[in-house]
Amino acid sequence: MAADERPFWREKTLDQMTLPEWESLCDGCARCCLNKLEDEDTGEIAWTDIACVLLDGDTCRCKDYPNRAATVPDCIPLDPDTVRSLSWLPPTCGYRLVSEGRDLYWWHPLVSGDPETVHTAGISVQGRTVPEEEWEIDDWEQRIVDWPMRVPKQAARRGGASKGK
């Protein structure tokens, strides 16, 4: 990229992005692949550290990305409209940040040039989950965590997600 050229995520809306640009906005944290519990009365979301059955906990990638929605019926594939409507997307999510007119964090692979920085910054779920197959749904409340909606100090240290437009 030329020195005077602005990155696509600062120039385009989510709706204007090509499919490769869209896919590259995913930082590979896999926080959205954690199972969540929703209070039927209040709509409040509680995060668990229980990984989706398709999540590879080492790589933080889906084991069957093209067929994920067919395999996991409550998987919510992201598109621009979905991104704008989901209150539970993590505050570090590239889709959420761009939708809100904010810039990506220093550790995002598009900024750092390295897909491993999402792990070293403590953003990804790598090493922090338990397999869905090992937990009965009635026991998921025992696995509620709050870290998916927080930005770790080491991740925010080198500059946060400022207004980028």
Side-chain angles (χ1 to χ4, degrees):
M1 182 171 9
D4 62 342
E5 189 178 331
R6 286 173 48 99
F8 72 87
W9 64 89
R10 291 186 187 157
E11 294 295 319
K12 295 182 176 184
T13 66
L14 295 177
D15 296 293
Q16 295 170 327
M17 291 182 187
T18 65
L19 183 58
E21 289 170 338
W22 173 266
E23 292 292 330
S24 71
L25 269 186
C26 176
D27 58 29
C29 76
R31 288 181 180 208
C32 64
C33 299
L34 296 175
N35 283 289
K36 294 161 264 321
L37 300 171
E38 182 176 4
D39 185 299
E40 292 178 13
D41 298 326
T42 67
E44 184 178 340
I45 302 291
W47 289 75
T48 73
D49 63 356
I50 300 171
C52 169
V53 69
L54 290 179
L55 182 66
D56 179 321
D58 293 327
T59 65
C60 293
R61 296 290 180 192
C62 184
K63 296 174 191 172
D64 190 14
Y65 187 73
N67 302 305
R68 66 196 181 283
T71 306
V72 179
D74 52 353
C75 177
I76 301 173
L78 297 180
D79 61 36
D81 291 330
T82 308
V83 166
R84 290 186 284 266
S85 68
L86 293 175
S87 63
W88 54 258
L89 282 176
T92 55
C93 175
Y95 298 109
R96 179 177 180 168
L97 294 169
V98 171
S99 176
E100 294 172 352
R102 297 168 56 204
D103 205 359
L104 302 177
Y105 283 91
W106 66 267
W107 45 260
H108 192 290
L110 287 172
V111 177
S112 71
D114 181 357
E116 292 301 308
T117 53
V118 70
H119 306 303
T120 57
I123 296 300
S124 79
V125 304
Q126 190 177 59
R128 301 173 82 176
T129 65
V130 296
E132 182 176 329
E133 313 76 75
E134 294 179 9
W135 288 86
E136 294 293 326
I137 198 163
D138 291 339
D139 297 328
W140 284 14
E141 286 185 11
Q142 298 172 37
R143 303 301 309 193
I144 291 175
V145 295
D146 63 357
W147 56 262
M149 290 303 280
R150 293 194 318 243
V151 180
K153 287 179 184 168
Q154 71 267 25
R157 199 172 318 145
R158 292 192 222 168
S162 61
K163 289 287 184 182
K165 295 191 178 184

